[in-house]
Every structure is written in C-alpha cells, then in structure tokens.
Amino acid sequence: MNPEFLTRAIELSREGMRANEGGPFGAVVVRDGEIIAEGNNRVLLTNDPTNHAEMVAIRRATETLGRFDLSDCELYASCEPCPMCLGAIYWARLGRVWFANTREDAADIDFDDSLIYRELDKPIGERLIPFEHVPDERAREIFAEWMDKADRTPY
C-alpha cells in the first residue's frame, strides 16, 4: 500500500465535492507504481448516476491502456466501493483495492448502499423494482451466435 496514492484519492474526493461535481469520493488507478487514471464523483456534474469516482477512474484507465483488463493495476479509493463499482472492479479484473472510509461511514453521511445489498440477495420477484423475465427465442439465437463466433474476444 502506497499512502501517496490513497492521499491522492482523498484529495480528489475533496476537490470534486468542493466543486459541486458530486459526492465526496475519489479514486485512482495505479500501474507499476504510477497513477495512470484519476476520478472523482461526477454524478451532479453530468446527471449520470453511474459517474462514481471508481467508474470514472476505471473508464479513464481502460482508455489510457487501450484494454479492458486491468489485472496488473490497483485501485485506491477514498471510500469502500458501492455495489455498482464493485461489479466494475471485478469486470475490469483489478488486482487489488485499497480504500479509506467504509460503507458504514458512507451510510452515516447519507450514502447508504444497504438497500442495494439487500435487493441483490432477494429472488427477482421480491425486489422493490419489478423485474420481469420475457423469454424470446431471438435473444437466445444471438447468444448461440456469440458462442459460435470464431473471432469473439472472451472477457
């Protein structure tokens, strides 16, 4: 753990918050001992609820490296990543995550992800937002085509 990288993530959280770009969250992606991408929460700036600091930093890192696999990178975040960002971290295959504040700390300032964690454990039919399965053979055919695609890039 390099405290300088965590310090930068924390600084980004303050900068974005003070600029009214979004909540007090910052993140950096590090590769080979260097920051290759930074991000702060930009939800208010862009009206995009997915523009969390970790998502911004991951998007910028993949652009910088020209690839979606960040397994040789680490993420430093000012707070424990939310469920959405956690998913992105796994999809990007980041090698390690370091964070300062916990999800409980975030809940204490009204950034509470506990509803989402509870919803993930529920059967689809019991979730607060209705999810309806609508089977369609056309959709299945596309999945079959993907499996037969000789030049597909697995991820």
Side-chain angles (χ1 to χ4, degrees):
M1 202 290 284
N2 184 324
E4 292 177 21
F5 300 142
L6 189 60
T7 296
R8 182 61 186 146
I10 293 167
E11 288 172 352
L12 288 164
S13 72
R14 178 180 288 115
E15 290 170 13
M17 175 193 66
R18 288 184 176 169
N20 294 319
E21 293 180 353
F25 304 99
V28 298
V29 175
V30 175
R31 180 172 176 253
D32 295 331
E34 289 185 37
I35 294 174
I36 61 164
E38 299 183 338
N40 60 277
N41 185 293
R42 299 168 62 81
V43 169
L44 298 177
L45 179 69
T46 63
N47 290 315
D48 179 349
T50 70
N51 250 347
H52 290 195
E54 298 89 340
M55 301 293 282
V56 172
I58 289 169
R59 288 173 182 144
R60 289 176 175 168
T62 60
E63 288 176 24
T64 297
L65 296 177
R67 56 184 164 89
F68 58 82
D69 184 338
L70 301 179
S71 57
D72 59 343
C73 300
E74 297 181 333
L75 182 117
Y76 287 77
S78 64
C79 188
E80 181 178 356
C82 76
M84 175 186 66
C85 294
L86 181 63
I89 287 163
Y90 276 94
W91 280 115
R93 298 185 182 101
L94 280 150
R96 183 180 298 264
V97 176
W98 308 92
F99 63 92
N101 292 319
T102 66
R103 70 173 91 163
E104 293 80 14
D105 297 328
D108 289 343
I109 63 163
D110 297 327
F111 289 93
D112 190 351
D113 299 323
S114 62
L115 169 71
I116 299 169
Y117 284 108
R118 287 192 308 272
E119 287 289 293
L120 288 171
D121 286 336
K122 290 181 182 179
I124 289 175
E126 296 177 19
R127 293 182 181 160
L128 291 176
I129 297 174
F131 283 72
E132 302 292 337
H133 180 212
V134 184
D136 191 308
E137 189 55 36
R138 296 168 297 181
R140 287 187 183 274
E141 288 170 4
I142 293 169
F143 273 18
E145 183 179 336
W146 169 259
M147 290 304 295
D148 292 337
K149 190 172 177 352
D151 64 342
R152 77 172 185 243
T153 302
Y155 62 97

